[in-house]
Short mmCIF file of all heavy atoms in Angstrom, two decimals:
data_model
loop_
_atom_site.label_atom_id
_atom_site.label_comp_id
_atom_site.label_asym_id
_atom_site.label_seq_id
_atom_site.Cartn_x
_atom_site.Cartn_y
_atom_site.Cartn_z
N LEU K 1 33.93 -0.79 -48.17
CA LEU K 1 35.01 -0.32 -49.03
C LEU K 1 35.54 -1.45 -49.91
O LEU K 1 35.57 -2.61 -49.50
CB LEU K 1 36.16 0.25 -48.20
CG LEU K 1 35.88 1.49 -47.35
CD1 LEU K 1 37.11 1.85 -46.52
CD2 LEU K 1 35.45 2.66 -48.22
N ASP K 2 35.98 -1.09 -51.11
CA ASP K 2 36.65 -2.02 -52.02
C ASP K 2 38.13 -1.67 -51.99
O ASP K 2 38.56 -0.68 -52.60
CB ASP K 2 36.06 -1.85 -53.43
CG ASP K 2 36.73 -2.76 -54.45
OD1 ASP K 2 37.48 -3.67 -54.05
OD2 ASP K 2 36.51 -2.53 -55.67
N VAL K 3 38.91 -2.46 -51.24
CA VAL K 3 40.29 -2.10 -50.92
C VAL K 3 41.27 -2.93 -51.75
O VAL K 3 41.18 -4.16 -51.80
CB VAL K 3 40.58 -2.32 -49.42
CG1 VAL K 3 42.02 -1.94 -49.09
CG2 VAL K 3 39.60 -1.50 -48.57
N HIS K 4 42.24 -2.24 -52.37
CA HIS K 4 43.27 -2.90 -53.18
C HIS K 4 44.63 -2.60 -52.56
O HIS K 4 45.03 -1.44 -52.45
CB HIS K 4 43.20 -2.40 -54.62
CG HIS K 4 41.94 -2.80 -55.32
ND1 HIS K 4 41.88 -3.86 -56.21
CD2 HIS K 4 40.67 -2.31 -55.22
CE1 HIS K 4 40.63 -3.99 -56.64
NE2 HIS K 4 39.88 -3.07 -56.05
N LEU K 5 45.33 -3.66 -52.17
CA LEU K 5 46.63 -3.52 -51.53
C LEU K 5 47.73 -3.69 -52.57
O LEU K 5 47.77 -4.70 -53.28
CB LEU K 5 46.81 -4.59 -50.44
CG LEU K 5 45.69 -4.72 -49.40
CD1 LEU K 5 46.05 -5.81 -48.39
CD2 LEU K 5 45.41 -3.40 -48.71
N VAL K 6 48.61 -2.70 -52.68
CA VAL K 6 49.72 -2.74 -53.64
C VAL K 6 51.03 -2.86 -52.87
O VAL K 6 51.34 -2.02 -52.02
CB VAL K 6 49.72 -1.48 -54.52
CG1 VAL K 6 51.02 -1.37 -55.31
CG2 VAL K 6 48.52 -1.47 -55.45
N GLU K 7 51.77 -3.90 -53.16
CA GLU K 7 53.02 -4.17 -52.45
C GLU K 7 53.97 -4.90 -53.41
O GLU K 7 53.58 -5.89 -54.03
CB GLU K 7 52.75 -5.03 -51.21
CG GLU K 7 53.97 -5.58 -50.52
CD GLU K 7 54.94 -4.49 -50.06
OE1 GLU K 7 54.50 -3.51 -49.44
OE2 GLU K 7 56.14 -4.63 -50.36
N PRO K 8 55.23 -4.45 -53.57
CA PRO K 8 56.12 -5.05 -54.56
C PRO K 8 56.80 -6.34 -54.13
O PRO K 8 57.21 -7.13 -54.96
CB PRO K 8 57.16 -3.96 -54.81
CG PRO K 8 57.17 -3.16 -53.55
CD PRO K 8 55.77 -3.19 -53.03
N MET K 9 56.95 -6.58 -52.82
CA MET K 9 57.74 -7.72 -52.35
C MET K 9 56.90 -8.99 -52.25
O MET K 9 55.83 -8.99 -51.63
CB MET K 9 58.38 -7.40 -51.00
CG MET K 9 59.38 -6.26 -51.06
SD MET K 9 60.18 -5.94 -49.47
CE MET K 9 61.07 -7.47 -49.23
N GLN K 10 57.40 -10.08 -52.84
CA GLN K 10 56.66 -11.34 -52.89
C GLN K 10 56.30 -11.86 -51.50
O GLN K 10 55.18 -12.28 -51.25
CB GLN K 10 57.49 -12.40 -53.63
CG GLN K 10 56.80 -13.75 -53.76
CD GLN K 10 55.66 -13.73 -54.77
OE1 GLN K 10 55.86 -13.40 -55.93
NE2 GLN K 10 54.45 -14.08 -54.32
N ARG K 11 57.28 -11.87 -50.58
CA ARG K 11 57.00 -12.43 -49.25
C ARG K 11 55.93 -11.61 -48.52
O ARG K 11 55.15 -12.16 -47.74
CB ARG K 11 58.27 -12.53 -48.41
CG ARG K 11 58.93 -11.21 -48.05
CD ARG K 11 60.21 -11.44 -47.25
NE ARG K 11 60.90 -10.20 -46.95
CZ ARG K 11 60.62 -9.43 -45.93
NH1 ARG K 11 59.64 -9.75 -45.09
NH2 ARG K 11 61.29 -8.30 -45.71
N ARG K 12 55.89 -10.33 -48.81
CA ARG K 12 54.87 -9.50 -48.17
C ARG K 12 53.50 -9.72 -48.80
O ARG K 12 52.49 -9.77 -48.09
CB ARG K 12 55.26 -8.02 -48.25
CG ARG K 12 56.47 -7.67 -47.40
CD ARG K 12 56.77 -6.19 -47.43
NE ARG K 12 57.90 -5.86 -46.57
CZ ARG K 12 58.38 -4.64 -46.41
NH1 ARG K 12 57.84 -3.62 -47.07
NH2 ARG K 12 59.40 -4.43 -45.60
N THR K 13 53.45 -9.87 -50.12
CA THR K 13 52.15 -10.12 -50.74
C THR K 13 51.63 -11.50 -50.36
O THR K 13 50.42 -11.68 -50.20
CB THR K 13 52.22 -9.99 -52.28
OG1 THR K 13 53.26 -10.81 -52.79
CG2 THR K 13 52.47 -8.54 -52.68
N ASP K 14 52.54 -12.46 -50.19
CA ASP K 14 52.12 -13.79 -49.72
C ASP K 14 51.49 -13.66 -48.33
O ASP K 14 50.45 -14.27 -48.04
CB ASP K 14 53.29 -14.76 -49.68
CG ASP K 14 53.76 -15.17 -51.08
OD1 ASP K 14 53.01 -14.93 -52.05
OD2 ASP K 14 54.88 -15.70 -51.19
N TRP K 15 52.16 -12.91 -47.46
CA TRP K 15 51.64 -12.72 -46.10
C TRP K 15 50.31 -11.98 -46.13
O TRP K 15 49.37 -12.35 -45.41
CB TRP K 15 52.66 -11.93 -45.26
CG TRP K 15 52.23 -11.73 -43.84
CD1 TRP K 15 52.47 -12.56 -42.77
CD2 TRP K 15 51.48 -10.63 -43.32
NE1 TRP K 15 51.90 -12.05 -41.64
CE2 TRP K 15 51.29 -10.86 -41.94
CE3 TRP K 15 50.95 -9.47 -43.89
CZ2 TRP K 15 50.60 -9.98 -41.12
CZ3 TRP K 15 50.25 -8.59 -43.08
CH2 TRP K 15 50.08 -8.83 -41.72
N LEU K 16 50.21 -10.94 -46.95
CA LEU K 16 48.97 -10.18 -47.05
C LEU K 16 47.83 -11.08 -47.52
O LEU K 16 46.72 -11.04 -46.96
CB LEU K 16 49.14 -9.00 -48.01
CG LEU K 16 49.97 -7.82 -47.50
CD1 LEU K 16 50.28 -6.86 -48.66
CD2 LEU K 16 49.25 -7.07 -46.38
N SER K 17 48.08 -11.88 -48.55
CA SER K 17 47.04 -12.77 -49.08
C SER K 17 46.59 -13.77 -48.03
O SER K 17 45.39 -14.05 -47.88
CB SER K 17 47.55 -13.50 -50.32
OG SER K 17 47.82 -12.59 -51.37
N ASP K 18 47.55 -14.31 -47.29
CA ASP K 18 47.22 -15.27 -46.25
C ASP K 18 46.42 -14.61 -45.13
O ASP K 18 45.45 -15.19 -44.62
CB ASP K 18 48.51 -15.90 -45.69
CG ASP K 18 48.23 -17.00 -44.69
OD1 ASP K 18 47.56 -17.98 -45.06
OD2 ASP K 18 48.66 -16.88 -43.52
N THR K 19 46.80 -13.41 -44.75
CA THR K 19 46.11 -12.69 -43.69
C THR K 19 44.68 -12.34 -44.10
O THR K 19 43.74 -12.49 -43.33
CB THR K 19 46.89 -11.41 -43.31
OG1 THR K 19 48.19 -11.78 -42.84
CG2 THR K 19 46.16 -10.62 -42.23
N VAL K 20 44.53 -11.87 -45.33
CA VAL K 20 43.20 -11.55 -45.85
C VAL K 20 42.31 -12.80 -45.83
O VAL K 20 41.13 -12.74 -45.45
CB VAL K 20 43.31 -10.98 -47.28
CG1 VAL K 20 41.95 -10.93 -47.96
CG2 VAL K 20 43.92 -9.58 -47.24
N ALA K 21 42.89 -13.95 -46.20
CA ALA K 21 42.13 -15.21 -46.20
C ALA K 21 41.75 -15.61 -44.77
O ALA K 21 40.61 -16.03 -44.51
CB ALA K 21 42.94 -16.31 -46.87
N GLN K 22 42.70 -15.49 -43.84
CA GLN K 22 42.42 -15.85 -42.45
C GLN K 22 41.29 -15.00 -41.86
O GLN K 22 40.47 -15.49 -41.08
CB GLN K 22 43.67 -15.68 -41.58
CG GLN K 22 44.74 -16.72 -41.80
CD GLN K 22 45.87 -16.56 -40.79
OE1 GLN K 22 45.65 -16.59 -39.57
NE2 GLN K 22 47.07 -16.37 -41.29
N LEU K 23 41.27 -13.73 -42.22
CA LEU K 23 40.27 -12.81 -41.69
C LEU K 23 38.97 -12.85 -42.47
O LEU K 23 37.97 -12.25 -42.06
CB LEU K 23 40.83 -11.38 -41.69
CG LEU K 23 42.06 -11.15 -40.78
CD1 LEU K 23 42.61 -9.73 -40.99
CD2 LEU K 23 41.71 -11.37 -39.32
N GLY K 24 38.98 -13.53 -43.62
CA GLY K 24 37.76 -13.64 -44.42
C GLY K 24 37.31 -12.32 -45.01
O GLY K 24 36.10 -12.04 -45.08
N LEU K 25 38.27 -11.50 -45.44
CA LEU K 25 37.95 -10.17 -45.95
C LEU K 25 37.67 -10.24 -47.46
O LEU K 25 38.59 -10.19 -48.28
CB LEU K 25 39.09 -9.20 -45.66
CG LEU K 25 39.37 -8.94 -44.18
CD1 LEU K 25 40.61 -8.08 -44.02
CD2 LEU K 25 38.17 -8.29 -43.50
N ALA K 26 36.41 -10.33 -47.80
CA ALA K 26 36.02 -10.44 -49.21
C ALA K 26 36.17 -9.12 -49.96
O ALA K 26 36.11 -9.10 -51.20
CB ALA K 26 34.58 -10.93 -49.31
N ASN K 27 36.38 -8.03 -49.23
CA ASN K 27 36.47 -6.71 -49.87
C ASN K 27 37.91 -6.26 -50.09
O ASN K 27 38.17 -5.08 -50.31
CB ASN K 27 35.72 -5.66 -49.03
CG ASN K 27 36.28 -5.51 -47.62
OD1 ASN K 27 36.76 -6.48 -47.03
ND2 ASN K 27 36.19 -4.31 -47.07
N VAL K 28 38.87 -7.21 -50.05
CA VAL K 28 40.28 -6.85 -50.22
C VAL K 28 40.89 -7.68 -51.36
O VAL K 28 40.70 -8.89 -51.44
CB VAL K 28 41.09 -7.11 -48.93
CG1 VAL K 28 42.56 -6.78 -49.15
CG2 VAL K 28 40.53 -6.28 -47.77
N THR K 29 41.66 -6.98 -52.23
CA THR K 29 42.41 -7.63 -53.31
C THR K 29 43.87 -7.25 -53.17
O THR K 29 44.19 -6.08 -52.93
CB THR K 29 41.90 -7.19 -54.69
OG1 THR K 29 40.49 -7.43 -54.77
CG2 THR K 29 42.60 -7.93 -55.80
N VAL K 30 44.76 -8.23 -53.29
CA VAL K 30 46.20 -8.00 -53.15
C VAL K 30 46.84 -7.98 -54.54
O VAL K 30 46.59 -8.87 -55.36
CB VAL K 30 46.86 -9.08 -52.28
CG1 VAL K 30 48.37 -8.84 -52.17
CG2 VAL K 30 46.23 -9.10 -50.88
N HIS K 31 47.68 -6.98 -54.79
CA HIS K 31 48.39 -6.86 -56.06
C HIS K 31 49.89 -6.79 -55.78
O HIS K 31 50.34 -5.96 -54.99
CB HIS K 31 47.97 -5.59 -56.81
CG HIS K 31 46.50 -5.48 -57.06
ND1 HIS K 31 45.89 -5.95 -58.21
CD2 HIS K 31 45.52 -4.94 -56.29
CE1 HIS K 31 44.60 -5.71 -58.15
NE2 HIS K 31 44.34 -5.10 -57.00
N ARG K 32 50.66 -7.62 -56.47
CA ARG K 32 52.11 -7.56 -56.32
C ARG K 32 52.70 -6.70 -57.44
O ARG K 32 52.45 -6.92 -58.62
CB ARG K 32 52.72 -8.96 -56.38
CG ARG K 32 54.25 -8.94 -56.26
CD ARG K 32 54.82 -10.34 -56.14
NE ARG K 32 56.27 -10.30 -56.16
CZ ARG K 32 57.04 -10.49 -57.24
NH1 ARG K 32 56.44 -10.75 -58.40
NH2 ARG K 32 58.35 -10.42 -57.18
N GLY K 33 53.48 -5.71 -57.04
CA GLY K 33 54.14 -4.83 -58.01
C GLY K 33 54.33 -3.44 -57.44
O GLY K 33 53.71 -3.08 -56.44
N ARG K 34 55.20 -2.70 -58.07
CA ARG K 34 55.37 -1.30 -57.70
C ARG K 34 54.22 -0.49 -58.29
O ARG K 34 53.64 -0.88 -59.31
CB ARG K 34 56.71 -0.76 -58.21
CG ARG K 34 57.91 -1.49 -57.63
CD ARG K 34 59.22 -0.90 -58.13
NE ARG K 34 60.36 -1.63 -57.62
CZ ARG K 34 60.88 -1.47 -56.41
NH1 ARG K 34 60.35 -0.56 -55.58
NH2 ARG K 34 61.91 -2.18 -56.01
N ALA K 35 53.94 0.63 -57.67
CA ALA K 35 52.81 1.45 -58.13
C ALA K 35 52.96 1.81 -59.60
O ALA K 35 52.00 1.70 -60.37
CB ALA K 35 52.72 2.73 -57.28
N GLU K 36 54.17 2.16 -60.01
CA GLU K 36 54.38 2.57 -61.40
C GLU K 36 54.20 1.42 -62.38
O GLU K 36 53.91 1.64 -63.56
CB GLU K 36 55.76 3.22 -61.58
CG GLU K 36 56.94 2.37 -61.15
CD GLU K 36 57.36 2.58 -59.72
OE1 GLU K 36 56.49 2.85 -58.86
OE2 GLU K 36 58.57 2.45 -59.44
N GLU K 37 54.36 0.18 -61.90
CA GLU K 37 54.18 -0.99 -62.75
C GLU K 37 52.70 -1.36 -62.92
O GLU K 37 52.35 -2.10 -63.84
CB GLU K 37 54.92 -2.19 -62.16
CG GLU K 37 56.43 -2.02 -62.09
CD GLU K 37 57.10 -3.10 -61.27
OE1 GLU K 37 56.41 -3.81 -60.51
OE2 GLU K 37 58.34 -3.22 -61.39
N LEU K 38 51.86 -0.84 -62.04
CA LEU K 38 50.45 -1.21 -62.04
C LEU K 38 49.53 -0.15 -62.64
O LEU K 38 48.31 -0.27 -62.58
CB LEU K 38 50.00 -1.53 -60.60
CG LEU K 38 50.68 -2.76 -59.99
CD1 LEU K 38 50.30 -2.91 -58.53
CD2 LEU K 38 50.32 -4.02 -60.77
N VAL K 39 50.14 0.89 -63.24
CA VAL K 39 49.33 1.91 -63.91
C VAL K 39 48.61 1.25 -65.09
O VAL K 39 49.21 0.55 -65.90
CB VAL K 39 50.22 3.07 -64.42
CG1 VAL K 39 49.39 4.07 -65.22
CG2 VAL K 39 50.90 3.77 -63.24
N GLY K 40 47.31 1.44 -65.15
CA GLY K 40 46.51 0.80 -66.18
C GLY K 40 45.97 -0.55 -65.76
O GLY K 40 45.11 -1.12 -66.43
N VAL K 41 46.47 -1.08 -64.64
CA VAL K 41 46.01 -2.36 -64.10
C VAL K 41 45.12 -2.13 -62.89
O VAL K 41 44.07 -2.76 -62.74
CB VAL K 41 47.21 -3.26 -63.72
CG1 VAL K 41 46.72 -4.57 -63.10
CG2 VAL K 41 48.09 -3.53 -64.93
#
């Protein structure tokens, strides 16, 4: 799967990015922002 995580809070996206790196998950991308802000992105 090609998984994209959408989360608006900075501290949570920092944690998500760090966790993804620790687990070595190459199939995950983290995006900071509200869903409505990421339309078209």
Side-chain angles (χ1 to χ4, degrees):
L1 296 176
D2 178 12
V3 180
H4 294 258
L5 309 181
V6 168
E7 170 58 48
M9 296 182 64
Q10 181 72 57
R11 65 182 177 85
R12 291 184 178 180
T13 53
D14 289 345
W15 182 89
L16 287 169
S17 296
D18 185 59
T19 299
V20 167
Q22 287 186 57
L23 297 174
L25 296 174
N27 60 327
V28 178
T29 305
V30 179
H31 304 268
R32 179 173 174 264
R34 299 182 183 279
E36 56 268 33
E37 296 169 344
L38 295 174
V39 175
V41 177

